[in-house]
Amino acid sequence: MELREQFENVMATSINMALATSTGNQPNVRIVTFGYDAGKTGRVFFTTFKGNRKVLEFQENPNVSCMPLPLGPEAAAQVRIFGKIQKSTLDMKELIAIIAKKIPGDADTIQNGGDMMDMYEVVFDRAYITIGMSEAQELML
């Protein structure tokens, strides 16, 4: 399987990703559920509650790293992404549709959160793919 196919497979099958921020020279990582649409290359989407610590960290430093988490220990490939975080350019219905492809129940959670939720996206132009025990390879998007 070629590099791009490995990337697309990981992005399509992973439900959660580790999202790392850094402020005041202090890294912080957390797990978020994310959406990905192959037609919107170079962006991953997620929601979060307004004004929480994560949002404050985004405002202080928009540079983030994320890694979709494999569904099991036998993952064929790992994907690492370095990008900038911003409020999403999608409307709520479009974001819900993307996330609901992976986790249908999350559509209700997002809708019920309503005004308490913000939509974000990580924008990136390359990803680093590690297949098996090989060195990471850069994939330009």
Side-chain angles (χ1 to χ4, degrees), residues 52-118:
N52 64 22
R53 180 177 178 184
K54 183 181 337 160
V55 171
L56 298 174
E57 290 174 0
F58 300 160
Q59 293 168 352
E60 188 174 328
N61 180 1
N63 297 304
V64 297
S65 178
C66 55
M67 181 178 189
L69 301 174
L71 295 177
E74 299 301 321
Q78 294 181 358
V79 172
R80 288 180 297 126
I81 295 167
F82 300 90
K84 291 204 180 282
I85 197 141
Q86 65 185 31
K87 283 216 174 173
S88 183
T89 57
L90 300 182
D91 65 37
M92 183 67 83
K93 286 183 182 180
E94 194 173 5
L95 180 69
I96 288 172
I98 290 170
I99 291 176
K101 286 179 190 175
K102 289 185 183 187
I103 312 164
D106 268 15
D108 292 336
T109 302
I110 295 167
Q111 287 176 325
N112 291 337
D115 290 340
M116 297 182 301
M117 304 290 280
D118 269 336

